[in-house]
């Protein structure tokens, strides 16, 4: 991703459902969804084992986004025996927190295949390395690949 084919945005860290990390009190899953999904993603060609087992929810409101041609799309991944298969897309991104850049991934469970825990259209979920002292309300910058993601608004 180069500056000519990317867009830099400022976002605000927002609370999520805490289902990906397994911290959510209302989660229907016995563990965090990312922990359970990672082996399936690895078998399909995307190894996320070096990343934190949770997502960072970044609001880019009032803007929204949509995928055009993500680096990876894994259709109908049956990652849990008791729930329907889901489709996931991923796009490499860079987030910048306190002047430190982190190679990360946009994580997008397609809403049409999810059972619940839907995100606002202005929330981008990011899988990143563990970032200490990152709090709700913090501003950060992210760089999205315009060949893979369209920003609207």
């Amino acid at each position: 991703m180069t500056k000519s084919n990317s867009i830099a945005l400022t976002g605000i860290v927002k609370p999520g459902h805490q289902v990906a990390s397994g911290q959510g009190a209302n989660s229907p899953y016995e563990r965090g969804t990312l922990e359970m999904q990672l082996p399936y993603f690895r078998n399909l060609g995307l190894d996320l084992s070096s990343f934190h087992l949770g997502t960072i929810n970044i609001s880019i409101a009032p803007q929204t986004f949509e995928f055009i041609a993500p680096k990876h799309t894994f259709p109908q991944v049956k990652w849990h025996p008791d729930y329907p298969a889901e489709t996931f897309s991923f796009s490499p991104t860079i987030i910048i927190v306190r002047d430190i850049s982190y190679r990360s991934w946009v994580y997008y469970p397609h809403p049409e295949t999810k059972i619940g825990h839907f995100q606002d259209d202005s929330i981008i979920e990011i899988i990143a390395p563990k970032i200490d002292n990152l709090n709700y309300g913090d501003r950060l910058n992210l760089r999205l690949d315009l060949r893979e993601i369209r920003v609207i608004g």
Side-chain angles (χ1 to χ4, degrees), residues 61-138:
Q63 297 169 307
T64 61
F65 73 100
E66 66 184 7
F67 274 100
I68 302 167
K71 176 95 171 169
H72 299 283
T73 295
F74 303 135
Q76 297 300 303
V77 177
K78 182 73 171 149
W79 61 271
H80 194 286
D82 298 335
Y83 297 100
E86 293 181 64
T87 298
F88 298 88
S89 289
F90 298 87
S91 178
T93 186
I94 295 171
I95 61 170
I96 301 125
V97 180
R98 295 180 290 277
D99 297 321
I100 300 171
S101 296
Y102 300 89
R103 292 194 179 278
S104 306
W105 290 92
V106 175
Y107 166 78
Y108 186 73
H110 288 239
E112 67 275 12
T113 63
K114 286 183 70 164
I115 63 163
H117 304 101
F118 298 102
Q119 297 290 0
D120 181 285
D121 289 343
S122 66
I123 296 287
I124 297 179
E125 279 190 272
I126 303 292
I127 296 175
K130 177 75 171 139
I131 302 171
D132 292 325
N133 301 314
L134 186 63
N135 300 298
Y136 300 137
D138 285 356

Side-chain angles (χ1 to χ4, degrees), residues 5 38 42 47 49 51 57 68 80 85 107 119 121 144-145:
N5 60 21
L38 256 52
R42 183 175 39 249
D47 185 359
S49 61
F51 293 87
N57 295 280
I68 302 167
H80 194 286
Y107 166 78
Q119 297 290 0
D121 289 343
L144 302 173
D145 190 326

Side-chain angles (χ1 to χ4, degrees), residues 3 6 25 36 41 52 55 80 108 114 118 121 133 149:
K3 286 192 179 194
S6 66
M36 297 169 71
F41 300 152
H52 176 68
T55 59
H80 194 286
Y108 186 73
K114 286 183 70 164
F118 298 102
D121 289 343
N133 301 314
I149 296 176

Side-chain angles (χ1 to χ4, degrees), residues 10-14 57-61 122-124:
T10 298
I12 298 172
V13 178
K14 296 287 187 176
N57 295 280
I58 302 170
S59 172
I60 59 168
S122 66
I123 296 287
I124 297 179

Side-chain angles (χ1 to χ4, degrees), residues 20-65:
S21 66
Q23 304 297 312
N26 296 322
S27 176
Y29 308 107
E30 59 274 15
R31 298 190 321 269
T33 58
L34 275 180
E35 178 185 347
M36 297 169 71
Q37 294 164 355
L38 256 52
Y40 295 92
F41 300 152
R42 183 175 39 249
N43 289 340
L44 292 165
L46 180 60
D47 185 359
L48 299 169
S49 61
S50 64
F51 293 87
H52 176 68
L53 292 176
T55 59
I56 302 169
N57 295 280
I58 302 170
S59 172
I60 59 168
Q63 297 169 307
T64 61
F65 73 100

